[in-house]
Amino acid sequence: MTELKHQDADFAQFLHALEDCIYVMDWDGEQFRYRYVNRAAAVLSQIGSEHMGRTFAEVYAHEPEMGKYLHHKYMKVVDERVSIRFDDGTLLPTGALSGESILSPIFGERGEVTAVACVTRDMITSSERRQHLHHYAYHDELTQLFNRRFLYEFLHKSFGLFLIDLDNFKNINDALGHETGDTLLIEVAQRFRQSFGPPYVIARQGADEFIIVCETPIAKPEEQAKRILEVLDKPFLLGDRLIRVSASVGISTSPERAELSMLLRQADIALYYAKSKGRNRYHEYNESLRYDQVVKFDYEIALNQCIEREELLLHYQPIFDAARNQVVEVEALLRWNLGHKRLVSPADFIPVAEETGLIVPIGEWVIRQACKDLPKISEKFGPDVRVAVNISRVQFEDEHFVERLNAIVAEEGVSPERFDLEVTESLVMRNLEEICAILDQLRAQGYTISLDDFGTGYSSLGILAQIPIDKFKLDRSFIVQMNPAVISALLAMARAMDLDVVAEGVEDGDQLIQLMNMGCPGIQGYLICRPMSVDDLPNIWFPDMQHHVV
């Protein structure tokens, strides 16, 4: 027994004397726990006797990513039940570089893995370590190209750059796996290296985007863009598959050295434009062009503050009842006075507001402002006049829409009977059963429901019998074409279904007279009145209206 103790002590001394780092981790089926480290391992890892029996997660609680990395590394040995070698030079989650390691399983009496032993040899000198760290700091780990950090620190001003995005790269990852995708990225990087030497500098932006920066003035940037597309034109052999790859290229150039951040932003805009035109294309940024994505982004930022800056306003367009010779309703039309300097078309900013969800607070502002304007509207057109408000799909999909609508109307002291809520056919058809239930609820509370722009959506006559509405508005295209047979049929159907009808876009007297002769109850358009502020709305009455009716 004494001899065995001496042998164990001698063996421990031998292990402590080794310059290689030795770790032994017990495995309990769920966690690895430190059982032994020699002197070299203790010095390198700062792990001592107080850490014995503790898990990776406990020892590296201050660096959880390192704990996860080590756990997965050792688990690979448990799963494969063989010794595994890990090469040196791997960048660890701590920012350090790993040495060469060999991990081996230790088996129990029943053949189960009970522990894992690790021997690590760190042959990198301090000078080499600094070189490795410098390399990893400024290079992309997968392709070994430069990264964005290198470009910003060493090429912060350049004459131009090409931003390259592989077309449909996600499909390759999904169909063939990420390993195949990584192999493709490495091959693409290699082709760029072979084709673009000085004065070009090549970098990987991330994912499937590459940057080629030029350090001298570029005479014909479009020729270089064609070269980039030609470089990718030859199929890539990935395993046993030939894969064709195309790319989109955004170009930004300057006659003088320009800030890299500006060039990259312009190239990104140009790339987006090229991709919008299809695959395998390039586009050079042009200051004089209107780029929709830039305008859209600018609108998105500005719309966030449009209410606080009091840039929104409502114009109203009357809806005239020819039989009664009076205005029965006014439609509230949203306008945006951007910066109190320029009116932005609703066609430009409403889609942005809907896409970003900003239409919800903006829509609530519209309802509240219409309530505030209603007394002035009533003074001009009578106490029973209604105000029509367009309701966006995004507003309707908000679970609190009805609750907020009722709260605003109640707070402003307005009856729901004074409101006409206009919805589109496409909105209703997105979720017919659910939307119809909401419309039924709103009608029961006293709101009028109108189907706007009838004839521009699904154009199904059957929809009028399916949805709970009070009236529909004939799109102006019906009025422009002025087919009496079609319009008369629609009006007859509306009367049979006890629905009111409004003809939109009436612009001349002949249209008005024909619609009156067909018995169309509601008229809306420039002939009656253009949209204008509540203070500018005129009194509307035609003294000889009935003389024109046949």
Side-chain angles (χ1 to χ4, degrees):
M1 182 66 69
T2 302
E3 185 177 350
L4 287 174
K5 288 183 179 179
H6 282 303
Q7 288 179 350
D8 288 342
D10 291 342
F11 186 64
Q13 282 186 330
F14 293 150
L15 295 179
H16 277 300
L18 294 176
E19 294 186 3
D20 291 339
C21 299
I22 299 176
Y23 306 83
V24 178
M25 304 295 300
D26 282 330
W27 170 244
D28 62 10
E30 292 185 2
Q31 297 289 340
F32 296 97
R33 298 182 182 276
Y34 280 94
R35 177 177 179 180
Y36 173 81
V37 295
N38 69 347
R39 185 180 292 109
V43 171
L44 180 67
S45 305
Q46 299 297 303
I47 294 174
S49 57
E50 69 275 16
H51 297 109
M52 296 302 106
R54 297 172 66 182
T55 67
F56 288 131
E58 292 169 339
V59 172
Y60 290 96
H62 60 298
E63 293 174 325
E65 291 302 318
M66 186 64 183
K68 292 177 184 177
Y69 165 80
L70 289 172
H71 181 84
H72 291 310
K73 183 175 181 178
Y74 277 69
M75 271 303 302
K76 190 171 184 180
V77 177
V78 173
D79 291 339
E80 299 187 16
R81 297 173 59 84
V82 295
S83 295
I84 299 176
R85 173 179 172 176
F86 295 87
D87 293 332
D88 62 349
T90 300
L91 189 64
L92 301 176
T94 59
L97 294 173
S98 70
E100 180 186 48
S101 300
I102 297 178
L103 276 66
S104 300
I106 299 174
F107 299 99
E109 294 179 356
R110 295 189 299 274
E112 77 281 14
V113 176
T114 60
V116 175
C118 171
V119 179
T120 297
R121 174 166 296 176
D122 190 3
M123 300 298 291
I124 302 176
T125 65
S126 297
S127 174
E128 290 173 330
R129 188 178 298 279
R130 284 194 298 272
Q131 291 177 5
H132 277 287
L133 286 173
H134 185 276
H135 179 85
Y136 277 100
Y138 295 110
H139 289 76
D140 172 60
E141 185 174 359
L142 178 67
T143 64
Q144 299 303 304
L145 295 174
F146 289 116
N147 57 21
R148 281 186 62 175
R149 180 178 179 181
F150 175 86
L151 297 182
Y152 275 103
E153 291 191 18
F154 294 97
L155 301 176
H156 56 279
K157 285 191 174 184
S158 298
F159 285 95
L161 63 80
F162 302 83
L163 181 59
I164 305 144
D165 181 86
L166 302 185
D167 294 326
N168 298 325
F169 179 73
K170 182 179 182 299
N171 293 343
I172 295 175
N173 270 341
D174 292 344
L176 304 179
H178 287 273
E179 289 187 2
T180 300
D182 287 348
T183 302
L184 174 61
L185 294 174
I186 293 170
E187 292 293 327
V188 168
Q190 184 60 27
R191 288 195 187 182
F192 285 154
R193 280 196 200 91
Q194 294 170 350
S195 302
F196 292 92
Y200 296 99
V201 177
I202 310 167
R204 184 184 176 208
Q205 160 108 321
D208 59 334
E209 285 191 346
F210 296 85
I211 301 173
I212 298 179
V213 180
C214 189
E215 285 292 278
T216 60
I218 308 174
K220 296 181 178 180
E222 65 278 2
E223 294 299 326
Q224 303 309 317
K226 290 178 183 177
R227 276 185 62 199
I228 292 171
L229 298 181
E230 289 171 359
V231 164
L232 300 175
D233 189 53
K234 183 180 177 182
F236 291 83
L237 180 60
L238 303 178
D240 58 350
R241 297 172 180 264
L242 278 175
I243 304 296
R244 284 196 170 275
V245 176
S246 63
S248 301
V249 183
I251 311 166
S252 176
T253 62
S254 173
E256 300 177 351
R257 288 187 180 274
E259 292 289 340
L260 187 73
S261 58
M262 183 195 75
L263 292 173
L264 191 55
R265 179 176 181 273
Q266 292 178 347
D268 192 44
I269 294 169
L271 173 64
Y272 187 95
Y273 185 87
K275 291 180 78 69
S276 71
K277 300 300 180 182
R279 298 171 55 186
N280 202 37
R281 295 174 184 268
Y282 61 85
H283 176 72
E284 183 175 3
Y285 180 83
N286 186 334
E287 192 74 46
S288 64
L289 284 181
R290 170 192 164 103
Y291 291 99
D292 289 341
Q293 73 270 28
V294 178
V295 174
K296 176 182 171 184
F297 182 68
D298 290 341
Y299 283 168
E300 181 179 340
I301 294 174
L303 280 170
N304 275 286
Q305 298 178 298
C306 65
I307 297 177
E308 291 79 3
R309 292 176 176 173
E310 298 183 347
E311 295 174 344
L312 298 179
L313 62 150
L314 290 183
H315 282 180
Y316 294 92
Q317 186 173 39
I319 297 173
F320 187 73
D321 186 324
R324 295 158 60 185
N325 197 9
Q326 70 181 62
V327 171
V328 294
E329 193 170 294
V330 294
E331 181 178 0
L333 300 168
L334 180 62
R335 299 291 184 260
W336 181 26
N337 191 8
L338 178 57
H340 298 284
K341 298 177 181 177
R342 175 171 64 92
L343 281 177
V344 181
S345 168
D348 290 334
F349 77 84
I350 292 294
V352 178
E354 289 183 326
E355 185 175 329
T356 58
L358 292 169
I359 195 65
V360 173
I362 290 174
E364 291 179 358
W365 179 91
V366 169
I367 295 167
R368 190 177 296 278
Q369 187 60 43
C371 289
K372 294 181 183 299
D373 289 340
L374 196 52
K376 289 184 178 180
I377 295 170
S378 297
E379 285 180 14
K380 293 188 177 182
F381 304 122
D384 296 326
V385 68
R386 290 190 302 268
V387 60
V389 176
N390 292 279
I391 304 300
S392 161
R393 169 188 60 81
V394 180
Q395 289 175 269
F396 238 94
E397 291 176 350
D398 187 301
E399 59 179 333
H400 302 296
F401 166 67
V402 175
E403 176 186 345
R404 290 292 300 139
L405 169 66
N406 289 329
I408 293 171
V409 171
E411 288 167 11
E412 297 297 331
V414 176
S415 170
E417 283 80 4
R418 303 294 300 278
F419 267 93
D420 183 352
L421 306 179
E422 296 189 0
V423 299
T424 62
E425 190 176 350
S426 58
L427 182 156
V428 176
M429 294 305 293
R430 283 175 63 89
N431 191 338
L432 184 61
E433 185 175 345
E434 183 177 331
I435 297 297
C436 285
I438 297 174
L439 294 180
D440 271 326
Q441 177 185 354
L442 291 169
R443 291 183 75 206
Q445 292 171 353
Y447 296 98
T448 297
I449 305 296
S450 295
L451 186 65
D452 195 16
D453 298 331
F454 179 74
T456 61
Y458 292 84
S459 302
S460 168
L461 298 179
I463 191 177
L464 297 177
Q466 297 181 56
I467 58 179
I469 60 174
D470 299 286
K471 70 179 178 185
F472 64 87
K473 302 181 76 173
L474 281 176
D475 183 69
R476 68 183 308 273
S477 60
F478 284 97
I479 312 307
V480 172
Q481 296 169 12
M482 192 49 74
N483 187 320
V486 172
I487 296 177
S488 295
L490 290 172
L491 292 173
M493 179 187 66
R495 285 190 289 270
M497 299 175 66
D498 197 23
L499 295 177
D500 202 357
V501 179
V502 173
E504 297 181 296
V506 179
E507 297 185 358
D508 62 55
D510 289 340
Q511 292 173 341
L512 174 61
I513 292 169
Q514 289 188 70
L515 289 167
M516 289 173 58
N517 286 329
M518 285 185 279
C520 182
I523 306 295
Q524 182 178 2
Y526 282 8
L527 178 66
I528 304 300
C529 184
R530 289 176 176 270
M532 57 184 64
S533 69
V534 65
D535 293 324
D536 295 331
L537 283 171
N539 292 314
I540 299 172
W541 182 71
F542 296 92
D544 58 346
M545 177 67 71
Q546 294 304 318
H547 294 298
H548 296 285
V549 180
V550 177

